[in-house]
């Protein structure tokens, strides 16, 4: 399901236009992004947790060239489904 | 700020951003995640712009070990949800570290050494190639007919080189060919000093050969004249091969028999080659140049005064300062010139301030000075 289909379905369920939905969607994602930048954990009941995790720098080796590379530290957004969601799968 | 917010907090935020009731915002968000969940449960992946992609992945069953009891047990195959953040979202989250890039680390020094060796080998080959090329080309280009003649000679060469006397007429040509090439090779690598005389030959001989060959071979040309151009090109290849073989053979012979055998021939040819011999003296002056360099080389280990009149090449003496001692006095005492105080200061690494405020008991090194050549 791509974004277009998703927006269409949202519009149908909420009796909104696709334009309104995508506008709201942008608002929501920017809101979430700002929360994530503050390293805030976002939990959605019955769905799961979004959390920003810090990854330390590390050395990797390219197996084909044997080159050693230093990967910098980074922040990654991770998602962990809730137990209720997992049980449904 | 490791706080935790929920759906309602998100709805608050959304209601502030967009003209929407908080209640509607909540239902909007709830509906959104409901749809995602439904689609995921249906086995679909869901992509939401600005957030990311949710996917369901099936994990194969695998065997594991209970850490406490050591028992083996099987983890059944199951599905799990994965989430890959959108590029925009990922970048935004990672903004504090956005400036970092993955860096390739230098390998251990071993490989660098290997590369260095390789490059030097390559270099020597490159250096040799032009030498050989230069030596052989002039022979081929000036008179192709004359080129053809050397071949028969070439085949017989390996022997004549060993025994210079048997065929006086034929030898002068083949040997010069053999000599010019092996010698540059020998000179460049093993013993440059060993053969000062043969050096002159390469260039003059090559130039004169065609002429001599042309004179001697004119009768042969008539016979050869019938040959096709193709044959010539073939000949050239053969000649080149022979010359290469000769090179190697000549080198080996040269190393075995030493310069003696050549000296006799060389002397004979020098008479004919005349002019270039004077040039050949050049290698000799190179040797005397070495000692002069040594002063400079020695100087490289010490601090120097730029554009000075002398090189600092070592420590002449060390002096512990006594009352009434003065650096300019020391300069006068050791060099007879108080102006050379600068060399003492430089050699000891004194700052201008320190040089004028030295304490009794300070150890001062007096540099050994050698006059610079220019």
């Amino acid at each position: 399901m791509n974004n277009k289909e998703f927006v269409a379905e949202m519009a149908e369920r909420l009796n909104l236009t696709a334009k309104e939905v995508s506008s709201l969607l942008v608002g929501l994602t920017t809101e979430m992004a700002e929360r994530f930048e503050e390293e805030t954990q976002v939990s959605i009941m019955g769905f799961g947790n979004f959390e920003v995790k810090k990854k330390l720098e590390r050395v990797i080796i390219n197996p084909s060239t044997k080159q050693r590379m230093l990967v910098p530290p980074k922040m990654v957004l991770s998602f962990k489904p809730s137990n209720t969601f997992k049980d449904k799968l | 700020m490791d706080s935790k917010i929920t759906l309602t907090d998100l709805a608050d935020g959304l209601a502030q951003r967009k003209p929407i009731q908080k209640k509607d915002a909540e239902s909007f968000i709830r509906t959104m995640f409901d749809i995602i969940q439904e689609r995921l449960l249906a086995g679909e992946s869901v992509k939401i712009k600005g957030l990311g992609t949710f996917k369901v992945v099936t994990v194969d069953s695998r065997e594991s070990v209970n850490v406490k009891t050591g028992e083996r047990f099987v983890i059944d195959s199951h599905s799990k949800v994965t989430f890959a953040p959108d590029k925009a979202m990922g970048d935004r989250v990672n903004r504090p570290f956005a400036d970092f890039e993955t860096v390739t680390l230098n390998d251990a020094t071993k490989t660098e050494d290997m590369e260095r060796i390789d490059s030097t080998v390559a270099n020597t080959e490159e250096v040799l190639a032009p030498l050989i090329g230069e030596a052989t080309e002039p022979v081929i280009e000036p008179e192709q007919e004359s080129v053809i003649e050397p071949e028969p000679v070439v085949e017989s060469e390996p022997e004549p080189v060993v025994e210079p006397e048997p065929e006086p007429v034929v030898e002068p040509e083949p040997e010069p060919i053999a000599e010019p090439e092996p010698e540059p090779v020998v000179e460049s690598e093993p013993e440059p000093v060993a053969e000062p005389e043969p050096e002159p030959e390469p260039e003059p001989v090559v130039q004169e050969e065609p002429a001599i060959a042309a004179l001697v071979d004119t009768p042969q040309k008539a016979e050869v004249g019938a040959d096709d151009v193709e044959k010539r090109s073939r000949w050239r290849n053969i000649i080149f091969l022979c010359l290469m073989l000769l090179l190697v053979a000549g080198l080996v012979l040269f190393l075995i028999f030493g310069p003696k055998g050549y000296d006799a021939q060389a002397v004979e040819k020098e008479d004919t080659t005349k002019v270039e011999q004077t040039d050949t003296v050049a290698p000799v002056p190179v040797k005397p140049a070495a000692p002069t360099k040594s002063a400079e080389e020695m100087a490289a280990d010490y601090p120097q005064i730029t554009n000075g009149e002398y090189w600092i090449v070592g420590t002449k003496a060390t002096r512990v300062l006594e009352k009434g001692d003065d650096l300019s006095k020391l300069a006068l005492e050791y060099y007879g010139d108080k102006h050379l105080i600068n060399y003492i200061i430089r050699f000891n690494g004194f700052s201008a301030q320190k040089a004028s405020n030295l304490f009794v008991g300070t150890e001062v090194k007096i540099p050994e000075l050698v006059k610079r050549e220019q």
Side-chain angles (χ1 to χ4, degrees):
Chain A
M1 183 188 218
N2 60 28
N3 196 59
K4 206 172 167 184
E5 292 166 351
F6 174 74
V7 170
E9 177 137 7
M10 287 285 282
E12 192 188 338
R13 289 202 192 186
L14 296 169
N15 275 330
L16 297 170
T17 64
K19 222 176 182 180
E20 285 168 327
V21 169
S22 51
S23 161
L24 284 172
L25 203 54
V26 169
L28 180 61
T29 51
T30 48
E31 169 72 18
M32 288 176 79
E34 270 178 26
R35 300 292 187 159
F36 292 144
E37 278 182 339
E38 296 165 358
E39 297 177 33
T40 306
Q41 204 174 330
V42 176
S43 80
I44 310 292
M45 281 287 286
F47 186 71
N49 273 346
F50 292 95
E51 190 184 355
V52 173
K53 288 186 174 169
K54 295 170 209 163
K55 305 278 183 183
L56 286 178
E57 65 178 359
R58 66 207 156 98
V59 173
I60 60 169
I61 297 178
N62 182 330
S64 61
T65 63
K66 305 287 183 204
Q67 262 183 333
R68 292 189 302 153
M69 317 265 272
L70 180 65
V71 179
K74 58 185 168 191
M75 314 272 276
V76 178
L77 176 62
S78 69
F79 167 71
K80 191 179 177 190
S82 70
N83 282 329
T84 51
F85 186 9
K86 272 196 228 169
D87 290 341
K88 286 185 193 168
L89 277 173
Chain B
M1 290 192 255
D2 282 333
S3 54
K4 194 170 182 177
I5 61 165
T6 59
L7 191 147
T8 46
D9 299 319
L10 273 185
D12 278 345
L14 181 57
Q16 282 172 19
R17 284 170 188 278
K18 299 287 174 183
I20 187 178
Q21 294 284 320
K22 194 189 159 190
K23 210 174 72 182
D24 294 335
E26 252 186 70
S27 71
F28 176 85
I29 298 171
R30 191 160 285 134
T31 314
M32 170 178 163
F33 287 111
D34 280 348
I35 294 176
I36 295 173
Q37 193 165 348
E38 282 169 25
R39 294 295 177 148
L40 285 176
L41 290 174
E44 263 187 89
S45 69
V46 182
K47 188 175 184 179
I48 295 173
K49 204 174 163 191
L51 185 62
T53 308
F54 296 88
K55 260 184 208 170
V56 177
V57 181
T58 54
V59 181
D60 289 341
S61 65
R62 63 197 156 99
E63 226 177 39
S64 184
V65 176
N66 185 320
V67 188
K68 281 181 188 168
T69 62
E71 277 177 31
R72 291 175 157 269
F73 65 99
V74 176
I75 299 174
D76 290 333
S77 76
H78 58 280
S79 304
K80 81 175 185 189
V81 178
T82 65
F83 169 69
D86 201 78
K87 176 106 171 63
M89 176 64 90
D91 285 349
R92 199 156 170 194
V93 168
N94 192 39
R95 195 145 61 183
F97 296 104
D99 291 338
F100 291 116
E101 280 178 0
T102 303
V103 183
T104 307
L105 296 177
N106 288 332
D107 289 345
T109 46
K110 281 179 191 173
T111 53
E112 286 173 14
D113 289 344
M114 285 169 62
E115 286 169 5
R116 231 179 265 154
I117 292 168
D118 290 344
S119 66
T120 54
V121 170
N123 287 340
T124 54
E125 284 171 358
E126 284 166 16
V127 174
L128 290 181
L131 286 180
I132 297 169
E134 288 167 13
T136 53
E137 282 163 16
V139 177
I140 297 173
E141 287 168 5
E143 302 161 40
Q144 296 181 347
E145 294 137 11
S146 68
V147 176
I148 299 168
E149 297 134 15
E151 298 153 11
V153 181
V154 171
E155 292 158 9
S156 62
E157 275 168 11
E159 296 146 12
V161 174
V162 183
E163 311 147 24
E165 293 141 13
E167 309 153 36
V169 184
V170 183
E171 287 166 8
E173 296 157 3
E175 290 155 7
I177 298 175
E179 291 164 4
E181 296 144 3
E183 286 154 9
V185 176
V186 174
E187 291 163 12
S188 61
E189 293 164 353
E191 314 151 26
V193 188
E195 315 132 23
E197 293 150 8
E199 290 171 8
E201 294 161 8
E203 296 163 6
V205 175
V206 174
Q207 293 166 354
E208 290 175 15
E209 270 172 27
I212 299 169
L215 294 177
V216 180
D217 302 320
T218 34
Q220 295 178 2
K221 285 180 192 171
E223 304 163 13
V224 183
D227 292 352
D228 299 338
V229 183
E230 297 174 12
K231 274 189 181 177
R232 281 184 188 168
S233 62
R234 228 184 271 157
W235 279 122
R236 275 193 204 170
N237 291 339
I238 297 171
I239 292 170
F240 189 75
L241 271 178
C242 290
L243 287 176
M244 294 295 284
L245 284 176
L246 256 182
L247 252 181
V248 177
L251 232 182
V252 172
L253 288 174
F254 213 88
L255 289 176
I256 295 175
F257 293 99
K260 291 174 189 173
Y262 282 91
D263 288 350
Q265 302 168 6
V267 173
E268 294 173 8
K269 283 158 197 168
E270 281 166 16
D271 297 341
T272 59
T273 52
K274 328 140 200 170
V275 192
E276 308 281 348
Q277 296 175 0
T278 54
D279 296 348
T280 61
V281 185
V284 183
V286 174
K287 297 164 197 164
T292 61
K293 269 188 183 175
S294 65
E296 218 173 309
E297 284 167 7
M298 286 168 68
D301 295 335
Y302 301 97
Q304 299 296 330
I305 291 187
T306 39
N307 300 324
E309 203 177 343
Y310 298 89
W311 291 114
I312 297 174
V313 295
T315 309
K316 192 176 196 171
T318 53
R319 227 350 231 274
V320 178
L321 292 184
E322 293 169 11
K323 198 173 183 186
D325 266 348
D326 181 4
L327 289 185
S328 61
K329 261 189 202 169
L330 293 183
L332 191 63
E333 182 181 328
Y334 283 99
Y335 306 123
D337 183 353
K338 64 179 180 183
H339 296 298
L340 296 183
I341 179 180
N342 285 334
Y343 287 89
I344 299 176
I345 294 172
R346 181 86 181 87
F347 189 56
N348 285 278
F350 294 147
S351 64
Q353 199 182 2
K354 191 179 180 190
S356 55
N357 288 306
L358 290 174
F359 297 106
V360 170
T362 305
E363 204 176 76
V364 176
K365 289 180 287 178
I366 310 297
E368 180 78 46
L369 299 183
V370 172
K371 184 128 184 161
R372 296 194 192 180
E373 290 217 312
Q374 292 171 344

